[in-house]
Amino acid sequence: MTEQTLQTVTTYTRWILIAGVIVLLTLMALLFWRKSHSVPVGEVTIAAPLTVAEAQQKVWFALPELAPRAGWQQEGVHVIGDNWVMIRYTASNGGSLEVGKGTKRPLLNIVKRFPVEARKTTTVNGNLAIFIQGGWDDTDHWNASIDAGLLEWTSNGFHYRIQQTGLGLNYQQMIDFGESLIVKPEKTGPVSEPVNAESINTEPVKTKPAAST
């Protein structure tokens, strides 16, 4: 093998290695992008689901509830830290709906994960809200026809989120769910300002029973 041939082989080898590194970095970047743009419907489960009573002992605020619906079943509650709960319901058709409430959302700035054209500004009981319909398909393109939706708003210092998959709910139906959500009085009294979860005592406030007459 001549010196010129050796140099040529070395050059080709170097370019092949560089191309391999570029391909690898591209694949890693695509994987990261796909993960960061995934639809948060059915988001990450932190631990095994709890009963409503068990979950209520872990957070200081009152859990939200859906009015009973025929063919729907509550699957349990997921508690994330001490400031976010997600209650999961399943329907007889296999679809699911998750109701979240807390003083801090587990995924900050969640609407930034969606294209601008997918977001719709609306209101829930007079509170500013964001509605999103659709999801990312297998080719990493936004598809508004995917049966998934998200509605998020803030009220009295709390974040609320309703997410559906496979239920065929449209915009108005999601709004109806949000406005019919049963919100019990808070154990620590009404919240009129944005809540700082770190500064709040997470232990339930104990009150004396009313005197019998």
Side-chain angles (χ1 to χ4, degrees):
M1 181 178 296
T2 64
E3 182 178 350
Q4 182 177 3
T5 302
L6 181 60
Q7 291 178 347
T8 301
V9 171
T10 301
T11 301
Y12 282 153
T13 302
R14 184 183 298 113
W15 280 110
I16 290 174
L17 289 175
I18 293 174
V21 171
I22 293 174
V23 170
L24 179 61
L25 292 175
T26 301
L27 290 175
M28 292 176 65
L30 287 173
L31 181 62
F32 175 79
W33 184 90
R34 177 69 179 277
K35 183 177 180 181
S36 65
H37 286 73
S38 60
V39 178
V41 174
E43 63 188 44
V44 178
T45 297
I46 302 302
L50 306 174
T51 66
V52 171
E54 291 171 336
Q56 187 62 85
Q57 293 298 316
K58 292 182 176 294
V59 294
W60 63 270
F61 51 85
L63 272 61
E65 297 180 15
L66 284 181
R69 298 178 65 90
W72 284 46
Q73 181 178 354
Q74 187 186 94
E75 295 293 330
V77 186
H78 293 286
V79 178
I80 304 175
D82 61 357
N83 52 36
W84 186 263
V85 295
M86 184 70 78
I87 307 173
R88 180 180 176 85
Y89 299 84
T90 55
S92 56
N93 71 344
S96 65
L97 185 104
E98 293 181 341
V99 178
K101 177 185 177 181
T103 56
K104 285 191 175 180
R105 292 170 293 180
L107 299 178
L108 298 178
N109 300 320
I110 193 170
V111 295
K112 292 184 178 180
R113 292 173 171 265
F114 305 95
V116 175
E117 61 270 19
R119 312 173 199 169
K120 179 181 179 67
T121 302
T122 183
T123 60
V124 174
N125 290 326
N127 299 294
L128 183 65
I130 295 292
F131 172 75
I132 298 171
Q133 175 65 46
W136 298 97
D137 60 23
D138 293 336
T139 61
D140 292 324
H141 289 88
W142 184 261
N143 186 344
S145 66
I146 290 178
D147 189 4
L150 181 150
L151 178 67
E152 184 170 300
W153 70 100
T154 300
S155 176
N156 292 328
F158 291 97
H159 296 291
Y160 292 87
R161 184 191 304 163
I162 294 180
Q163 304 173 191
Q164 75 90 13
T165 305
L167 293 175
L169 301 178
N170 58 29
Y171 162 73
Q172 188 56 54
Q173 289 171 319
M174 289 286 283
I175 295 294
D176 291 342
F177 268 105
E179 295 191 335
S180 64
L181 200 63
I182 300 174
V183 181
K184 296 181 179 180
E186 303 303 330
K187 294 180 294 182
T188 55
V191 179
S192 58
E193 296 294 333
V195 177
N196 180 354
E198 288 80 8
S199 65
I200 292 178
N201 183 5
T202 58
E203 292 297 324
V205 175
K206 298 180 180 179
T207 59
K208 295 181 180 180
S212 58
T213 57

